[in-house]
Amino acid sequence: MLILAPQPRLHWDDLRMLLSIVCTLVRNLTTVPAAVLRSRAAKDAEVLALRHENAVLRRQIARVR
């Protein structure tokens, strides 16, 4: 007589974790082409916005001292 071990069942936590991993992978795979296909003007605008944000933060740090 052959005795088989019981198969482990998936619990809700396992399914949520699997869904979370799949969602993260899909989100990352869709953002890569979007970053590559952006126009030069969009990249320049983002750089300018980040430089402005950096300047504002530097001014705030200088006031705290």
Side-chain angles (χ1 to χ4, degrees), residues 4-46:
L4 297 175
Q7 294 291 333
R9 296 182 52 166
L10 286 177
H11 297 291
W12 287 111
D13 291 337
D14 298 334
L15 292 175
R16 274 192 287 188
M17 179 61 71
L18 182 62
L19 182 62
S20 173
I21 292 170
V22 169
C23 287
T24 302
L25 286 174
V26 169
R27 184 176 55 215
N28 288 339
L29 289 175
T30 56
T31 56
V32 169
V36 172
L37 297 175
R38 281 194 305 176
S39 69
R40 174 84 180 187
K43 291 177 186 176
D44 289 343
E46 183 178 4

Side-chain angles (χ1 to χ4, degrees), residues 41-53:
K43 291 177 186 176
D44 289 343
E46 183 178 4
V47 168
L48 286 174
L50 290 172
R51 285 182 180 164
H52 175 71
E53 183 180 351

